[in-house]
Amino acid sequence: MGEFWSKMTYRLYSRSGSWEYDVRGLLNYRLSCYVNALLQSFSATTELLDILNKWHPSDGTDERNVPLQLRNTLEAMRDKSHPAPHKDFLNCLYNQAIRPSTQQDADEIFHIILNLSQKQMPDAALAQEIRSLYEIKVETQVVCSKCKFIHRAPSSLFSLPLAICERENTLESCINSFLKLQKLPDSEKFYCDRCDEKQPSTHEVKLVSLPPILCVHLKRFRNYDGFTWKLSNKVTFPKSFSTEIFAAGQSENADCLKTDEDYSLYAVIVHIGTAMFGHSTAFISPNQDEMWFYADDSCVRPSTWADVQDTYGGSHQYGETAYLLLYRKKSRNSSG
């Protein structure tokens, strides 16, 4: 059965009937399920391959270049005759970024791949395009409770880190919690440059800009007294949502968040198991229509939105739970 599924692909067609690409499984090499699941999401992110295909290196044999190996892998994944489309990419990561045959965190690997793709891309303009595709710009604001001076610290993220509560959650409630104004405890007084001493303060994260591809990280792992455990609490998330959901959290320095734009879900990275021993799989909707596919390493099968909803969590401690959500920004006036 394993050999059958390792060769199984599903061919997607556009509405015009022209061939687009195959959704194919990826063999698990040395516990590579976390990379395999991410590669399925990258394969469904056509914008990324479009950027990588603009690059024409003079020497295409660099085995340690992540963006080159990533591009080769994404191209090979669309060729069902290729026996091992991702093996060179895995070796590239194993040689310089992650340890093989060990438990990995999908969000950490996501950041490693994007950071190395940007860093090792010799074309500065294309490196910036890779960054801009995923970059979330935020501003941390700490307000002195005495003099009211606002201390601003800009930063950027490749995924939106949303803590979940030990009860039922919604994506919107997690976003609101992330953007919520918080009073710092007296034990964490902030040093105010204006007052020239530590003062009681409030802390708030404000959004400056959102990217074309928004990665949401549902933070299911907690550390307590040196022990890490997984929160399997329910987190519901929609197939699409409006950018208006972020309106209250905009910075005064924000690029205007347009109110006529939506984000549509097209990939979900799933975690199965415990914090210490787990497995990653992926749901993808390459055409962002009603058709979903489920990829569990070499096994690929058609799926449904109802199957994706089963990853909300809350039913079983070690069951399938959504960990990373990939949304694509789209104007409501956009066609296709």
Side-chain angles (χ1 to χ4, degrees), residues 89-275:
F89 179 67
L90 288 173
N91 289 333
C92 179
L93 291 179
Y94 291 156
N95 287 334
Q96 60 185 310
I98 64 175
R99 184 179 299 174
S101 304
T102 57
Q103 175 91 359
Q104 303 289 344
D105 182 275
D107 183 64
E108 290 181 7
I109 297 177
F110 178 75
H111 280 78
I112 287 171
I113 292 173
L114 290 181
N115 280 319
L116 287 176
S117 293
Q118 179 189 259
K119 181 180 179 181
Q120 296 178 1
M121 169 60 72
D123 186 316
L126 294 182
Q128 183 56 46
E129 283 193 48
I130 294 172
R131 183 176 189 86
S132 297
L133 183 62
Y134 293 94
E135 185 178 33
I136 306 162
K137 293 182 180 180
V138 299
E139 181 181 76
T140 300
Q141 296 184 2
V142 179
V143 182
C144 175
S145 298
K146 182 177 181 180
C147 72
K148 307 304 179 183
F149 181 71
I150 303 175
H151 300 257
R152 304 176 188 271
S155 61
S156 63
L157 313 163
F158 279 141
S159 64
L160 192 66
L162 302 183
I164 68 174
C165 302
E166 294 185 46
R167 58 176 185 272
E168 288 196 6
N169 304 258
T170 66
L171 180 63
E172 184 173 2
S173 70
C174 292
I175 291 173
N176 290 338
S177 178
F178 177 74
L179 299 173
K180 184 180 179 180
L181 178 70
Q182 300 181 45
K183 182 178 179 181
L184 294 176
D186 290 340
S187 60
E188 297 180 17
K189 288 183 178 180
F190 181 79
Y191 183 84
C192 177
D193 294 330
R194 286 265 184 99
C195 298
D196 197 26
E197 63 179 339
K198 288 186 175 182
Q199 296 286 4
S201 307
T202 60
H203 172 276
E204 192 172 14
V205 176
K206 292 286 190 177
L207 285 171
V208 176
S209 66
L210 292 169
I213 302 297
L214 176 63
C215 179
V216 175
H217 173 204
L218 301 177
K219 299 177 67 177
R220 291 192 174 274
F221 300 110
R222 296 279 177 85
N223 187 280
Y224 182 75
D225 286 344
F227 179 76
T228 303
W229 81 95
K230 176 183 175 181
L231 291 176
S232 297
N233 299 73
K234 188 173 185 177
V235 184
T236 60
F237 49 87
K239 283 197 287 187
S240 64
F241 63 86
S242 168
T243 50
E244 294 172 0
I245 197 174
F246 297 104
Q250 287 190 66
S251 165
E252 297 86 343
N253 300 322
D255 297 340
C256 181
L257 295 179
K258 297 179 181 179
T259 58
D260 64 341
E261 291 179 326
D262 292 325
Y263 275 102
S264 297
L265 186 70
Y266 72 96
V268 178
I269 306 300
V270 177
H271 183 272
I272 306 170
T274 69

Side-chain angles (χ1 to χ4, degrees), residues 296-311:
D296 181 354
D297 289 331
S298 58
C299 173
V300 177
R301 60 173 170 80
S303 191
T304 65
W305 170 241
D307 293 329
V308 178
Q309 291 176 299
D310 285 340
T311 69

